[in-house]
Amino acid sequence: MKLTFKSFIKSFRKNFVQNSISSDAAELAYYLLFAFFPILMVVSASLSLAGKSLEDLILNYMNFFPESIFEIISGFLSQVSSKSTNITLLITGIFITLYSFARFTKSFKAKVRTIYDSKIIVNNTAEWIISFIFATFMLLFFYTILFVMLLGEHFILLVSQSVTISPFVSSVLLAVGYFIPIISICFIVMMLYLISPGINQKFKDIIWGTVFSLIGFFMVSFLFTV
């Protein structure tokens, strides 16, 4: 049967309601929100140990968030920083972040398998281990993004002292640096879509879902800022 726009909307609505997408999305959003504050602890402690401050990151990307978010962030960081050292914040933040990401990954995979009606039998212990491994990779990607955003320009200036780099090449490298976070997020989403259903999939099966998710993410982020 040929898929028409009307039949697609009808099928989409039916699957959306039957699989309780709204409540599942709220649950996953909670786990990500739970990971937000320990990530701030990790970022703040990492920047302090590197001789920088969180304001360096905020000033470069303040257009992506409402001003009220900065008040919440500043209040939270000033409170936890006054009671802990940078090392304590870093270690505590990493452990809580890993758990939050692992819990999100485990829950996400369960929801997707329900949607795909997957019959795979999963060992709970193995599922937690896989989720923690994936969470570790997410944290490493996060640190890579952080390095590029804060230290990319300084790295190029350092290299230019030893090797002659034209202004054009330097501008291109800086522009590429801004795409690295997007590429990293794209890779993480693709990996989630690849491993979650528990079925064999090809690249073409997940690329459009990944693109749709990224566009939706940035559109919602923009609307949230407004």
Side-chain angles (χ1 to χ4, degrees), residues 91-102:
I91 296 175
T92 304
I94 287 176
F95 274 106
I96 300 178
T97 301
L98 285 177
Y99 171 77
S100 302
F101 278 154

Side-chain angles (χ1 to χ4, degrees), residues 3 9 18 41 44 57 61-63 87 111 131 139 146 156 162 175 191-192 208:
L3 182 65
I9 295 297
Q18 286 183 346
M41 294 167 60
S44 179
L57 179 64
Y61 295 90
M62 63 185 305
N63 293 329
I87 296 296
K111 306 305 181 187
S131 297
L139 194 60
L146 186 65
I156 293 175
S162 303
M191 290 301 297
L192 274 174
W208 292 114

